[in-house]
Amino acid sequence: MAKARDIQLDALRAVAVTLVLYAHFLAPNGTSFLGHLGVRLFFVLSGFLITRLLLDARDTNAFASGSALRSFYARRVIRIFPPYFAVLGLVWLTDLEQARSSLAWHALYLSNFWYALRNDWNPWLLCHFWSLSIEEQFYLAWPLIVLLAPRKRIEAITIGVICFSLAYRFYWPISADPALARDLLPPASMDALACGALLAVRRARGADVPRWMRPCWPALAAFFLLVVWSDPGPASSTWEWPRWLLVQVLPLVPLTAIVAACSTGLGGWLGRLAEQRPLLSLGRISYGVYLYHPILLAYAVKAQPWIPLNVSEQGPGRFLVAGTATIIVASLSWAFFEKPLNGLKRYFPYVARPVASGDAKWTSRTAAALELPRTEARQ
């Protein structure tokens, strides 16, 4: 079910993780909405790829929901858990930034709830785990919908999830409470994940992005940039909440349109740019880059006395040193740790492989001997 044209989606992963690195290493004051935009791009990609993969499995003749679910969760565990828990193990052993007290929450993929309930970003070392927790919570629920819900209802369910997520945002201006919960609880990210899922559902029935989206998304992207660069004004100003809502919602259409274009393959110079080897390599290791970068930043700051560049503050020195270290460690992790483990996925296909003719005869004789009833599932 792999799509050769999806090579350009690796370029999008590279762009997304670069935005995150810029926000955490280079942006003034350590804050930039570009980092959040990179995370939103990751969410749209995840929603699209996971939903398309599950729908492809569902549309095959040999589909069985139980087997597909087991394979999905097994493959997610193989891909996500080893480096994730390796990081948690390292933090536990070294107790970097006194993060040990929160490890149980991170181990259960409840990082977003940990930070939301405390309305505080401590320990900062693991604060980026909030988005990984959101994705894992999405992985727990969404496959059940895609594989078990009536096929013709999935698109309506996806649109409903987007509407619910957008409605969730309007609660916060009413409550006038700018708590971290407004951005970290699952409904705050379901719109991006469901936009990617909706694209996959439309593709599965032979459609694409709506016609209105193609001419509109560049204008929405430009409007988004104007809003981001606008002065937010003093706290509790009349512009503060509308600005926050627009910054959250406006990128959805451009990000979905970009994912749609890259998933079918960009042509011309943009296509050639999106298929450059360094960009694709960075996209391939993007999970490791995202996972390891605050850990390596913490070590770089501790090693500041031996580093001639300034890594203790945001700026080019931090970006160069911590960014280079992150890419090196993520590359080694991919080559010697993650990639070999990914080979285990072959034991968990979404759809049962066709049985060879000799094996089929043996299976038929065995079933007859055991007087097993012929059901659709066994067939």
Side-chain angles (χ1 to χ4, degrees):
M1 288 178 283
K3 313 271 186 185
R5 62 179 177 271
D6 282 354
I7 186 174
Q8 294 183 5
L9 296 184
D10 270 340
L12 290 186
R13 292 188 182 94
V15 170
V17 82
T18 300
L19 293 176
V20 173
L21 293 182
Y22 167 79
H24 291 172
F25 292 166
L26 189 58
N29 301 320
T31 59
S32 168
F33 190 79
L34 290 178
H36 189 63
L37 186 65
V39 172
R40 301 277 276 173
L41 177 53
F42 273 128
F43 285 158
V44 175
L45 280 167
S46 292
F48 171 68
L49 291 170
I50 291 301
T51 306
R52 189 187 65 181
L53 186 151
L54 294 171
L55 288 175
D56 284 351
R58 181 167 181 164
D59 290 341
T60 59
N61 293 329
F63 168 74
S65 58
S67 175
L69 278 172
R70 286 192 298 271
S71 293
F72 173 83
Y73 292 127
R75 293 166 73 93
R76 288 296 87 196
V77 166
I78 290 170
R79 177 67 189 102
I80 294 173
F81 279 21
Y84 183 89
F85 284 98
V87 168
L88 291 184
L90 177 64
V91 172
W92 181 82
L93 287 172
T94 60
D95 198 22
L96 281 171
E97 305 299 328
Q98 290 76 51
R100 188 178 290 173
S101 61
S102 65
L103 288 187
W105 289 75
H106 301 299
L108 294 172
Y109 281 95
L110 295 174
S111 306
N112 54 329
F113 285 94
W114 167 269
Y115 294 111
L117 290 172
R118 284 153 184 78
N119 198 31
D120 184 76
W121 280 119
N122 285 315
W124 69 265
L125 186 74
L126 299 174
C127 64
H128 63 305
F129 275 25
W130 76 267
S131 61
L132 301 177
S133 295
I134 289 282
E135 291 216 18
E136 197 65 24
Q137 291 153 20
F138 174 73
Y139 293 153
L140 285 176
W142 191 245
L144 298 174
I145 295 173
V146 176
L147 296 179
L148 301 179
R151 184 69 171 78
K152 61 182 179 180
R153 302 293 184 193
I154 296 176
E155 185 167 352
I157 293 172
T158 307
I159 294 172
V161 171
I162 296 173
C163 292
F164 170 73
S165 182
L166 295 177
Y168 165 87
R169 298 193 185 285
F170 287 92
Y171 163 79
W172 298 101
I174 295 172
S175 69
D177 182 11
L180 286 180
R182 72 180 187 180
D183 296 315
L184 298 187
L185 295 184
S189 299
M190 288 301 110
D191 51 1
L193 288 158
C195 279
L198 182 60
L199 174 61
V201 174
R202 290 179 62 87
R203 287 273 179 84
R205 64 175 176 85
D208 206 339
V209 294
R211 291 185 178 180
W212 63 265
M213 188 179 289
R214 295 175 184 176
C216 286
W217 78 261
L220 290 172
F223 186 30
F224 163 76
L225 293 176
L226 288 175
V227 172
V228 169
W229 291 333
S230 69
D231 184 0
S236 302
S237 67
T238 56
W239 175 232
E240 180 185 10
W241 285 107
R243 181 179 183 273
W244 174 76
L245 285 169
L246 289 171
V247 165
Q248 295 293 329
V249 174
L250 285 174
L252 291 174
V253 169
L255 292 178
T256 304
I258 291 170
V259 170
C262 289
S263 65
T264 55
L266 292 171
W269 68 270
L270 276 177
R272 292 191 294 273
L273 177 63
E275 295 179 10
Q276 292 299 307
R277 188 178 296 276
L279 204 59
L280 299 180
S281 298
L282 180 59
R284 194 173 300 116
I285 64 171
S286 58
Y287 175 53
V289 172
Y290 186 81
L291 190 63
Y292 302 135
H293 77 277
I295 311 296
L296 293 166
L297 173 59
Y299 281 119
V301 171
K302 287 180 180 296
Q304 178 64 87
W306 298 279
I307 299 176
L309 298 175
N310 182 10
V311 297
S312 299
E313 299 176 348
Q314 295 284 109
R318 172 176 286 190
F319 187 79
L320 179 62
V321 174
T324 301
T326 298
I327 291 174
I328 291 173
V329 172
S331 299
L332 294 173
S333 173
W334 169 255
F336 299 106
F337 184 34
E338 299 168 61
K339 187 177 179 181
L341 288 174
N342 276 350
L344 298 175
K345 288 182 179 180
R346 66 183 182 274
Y347 296 111
F348 301 96
Y350 285 99
V351 178
R353 297 183 180 88
V355 183
S357 58
D359 293 339
K361 293 178 182 178
W362 183 88
T363 303
S364 178
R365 289 196 299 268
T366 304
L370 296 174
E371 295 182 354
L372 296 176
R374 286 177 60 83
T375 65
E376 287 187 4
R378 288 192 176 92
Q379 184 177 3

